[in-house]
Amino acid sequence: MNKLKSLAIALCATIIPVAAAVADTWPSKPIRIVVTFAPGGTSDVLARAIAPDLSKALGQPVLVMNKPGGNSTIATQEVARSAPDGYTIGLFISAHSINPYITKSLPYDSKKDFTPLAMLALMPGILTVNPAVPAKNLQELVALAKAKPGSLAYGTPGGLTSGQLSMQYLVKLAAIDVTEIGYKGGGPALTDLLAGHIQMLINSPTSTIPHVQSGKLRPIATTGATRPAALSDIPTIAESGFPGFELYEWYALFLPAGTPKNIVNRLHTEIMKVMASPAMVKRIADIGAQSSQDTPEQFAKFLEKEDKVWGDLVKQIGIKPQ
């Protein structure tokens, strides 16, 4: 027995220095950021914005890989099944908190299979209308919808995304009769809004702000609790007669569960340096979002709150998991 105990102690003494040596050499190969949507969207833009500086800080290439489909579940599943070694990072959006409530059988556990790493941007949606719509604010828009039931149509940027759920929630609160038109992404929905095929849309400020600035779209309200600096002239939905309305689209980084703490901390430190740079601060503010310097633990607490917000909202709207 003593011999076995001595052997175990000797093995531990050997393993610990080896593990430390592996940690000390990380990273020793390229790191990939797996994005849940196609190139060109906000997720992709953010990933490609941070990749060069993160690569310089870590001394290894940081590659962006787009894996769209399945309302973000395809890419999310790939990250869940990846080795917890710090070489695979997932860039997820708020659909990560929504999917467990709308999908009966996910190919991963949204809480147990991931380690929250860093929040990149917290962004309210922006409700805009085609200029042909006579309403100048939310009260007028609701009054118009009630005066002409079924005459107005709104677009959604995807099945059961935050943009769709935000609009469905507003429709329920306002008790109005409007038609929903679904699209495969915010881009096609925005195109039809500009063309007048639909009358209103809650979408990401990133792609919407330029059309507001050019006068091609009229801003009505934003979905957050406060007005972002870039959208300071646009009231919130809460200010416009629906107190307590507060919904966001968030963009954040996750690692596979079990990633060593020292790697989590190193990645978080370097990512926060990139996000705190004047160029990134301006970039985030210009798209109507806010960045965060939360620790991974603080970010995890935020996720707990978000899970409850979206879970409660799905129940209020009456959506059944499919």
Side-chain angles (χ1 to χ4, degrees), residues 128-207:
T128 56
V129 298
N130 184 282
V133 176
K136 300 296 191 297
N137 54 52
L138 187 54
Q139 293 92 334
E140 291 182 3
L141 184 62
V142 169
L144 179 64
K146 288 186 174 182
K148 299 180 178 181
S151 64
L152 300 178
Y154 69 89
T156 66
L160 299 177
T161 58
S162 62
Q164 182 188 31
L165 295 179
S166 296
M167 194 69 209
Q168 288 185 347
Y169 186 42
L170 177 59
V171 167
K172 184 177 180 65
L173 291 177
I176 53 177
D177 179 8
V178 291
T179 302
E180 178 178 302
I181 307 294
Y183 294 87
K184 294 182 178 179
L190 192 59
T191 297
D192 268 12
L193 179 65
L194 290 164
H197 300 313
I198 56 175
Q199 287 70 51
M200 50 188 167
L201 172 70
I202 290 181
N203 199 29
S204 161
T206 310
S207 53

Side-chain angles (χ1 to χ4, degrees), residues 181-262:
I181 307 294
Y183 294 87
K184 294 182 178 179
L190 192 59
T191 297
D192 268 12
L193 179 65
L194 290 164
H197 300 313
I198 56 175
Q199 287 70 51
M200 50 188 167
L201 172 70
I202 290 181
N203 199 29
S204 161
T206 310
S207 53
T208 308
I209 286 176
H211 300 296
V212 169
Q213 293 172 336
S214 69
K216 294 180 179 178
L217 293 177
R218 181 183 303 125
I220 295 296
T222 57
T223 66
T226 58
R227 304 184 188 189
L231 307 172
S232 59
D233 293 335
I234 306 173
T236 66
I237 290 176
E239 289 178 294
S240 304
F242 299 92
F245 195 108
E246 180 183 355
L247 296 171
Y248 299 93
E249 181 98 296
W250 50 257
Y251 301 80
L253 298 175
F254 292 76
L255 293 164
T259 302
K261 184 65 174 176
N262 62 307

Side-chain angles (χ1 to χ4, degrees), residues 38 44 91 117 122 130 153 162 249 276 286 301:
D44 181 67
L91 200 163
L117 176 58
L122 186 66
N130 184 282
S162 62
E249 181 98 296
D286 285 347
K301 290 291 186 183

Side-chain angles (χ1 to χ4, degrees), residues 3-4 16-18 22 73 85 103 113 122 139 142 155 186 198 201-202 215 219 227 236 258 270 280 282 316:
K3 286 183 178 180
L4 287 174
I16 291 172
V18 169
V22 170
T73 60
D85 53 13
T103 306
D113 291 344
L122 186 66
Q139 293 92 334
V142 169
I198 56 175
L201 172 70
I202 290 181
R227 304 184 188 189
T236 66
E270 300 302 343
M280 280 301 296
K282 183 178 185 304
Q316 288 183 53

Side-chain angles (χ1 to χ4, degrees), residues 73 75-84 88 90 92 96 106-116 254-259:
T73 60
T76 307
Q77 180 181 9
E78 180 165 333
V79 175
R81 293 181 176 179
S82 297
T88 299
F92 304 160
H96 188 67
L106 287 173
Y108 54 81
D109 187 306
S110 62
K111 296 179 181 179
K112 295 180 180 179
D113 291 344
F114 304 95
T115 296
F254 292 76
L255 293 164
T259 302

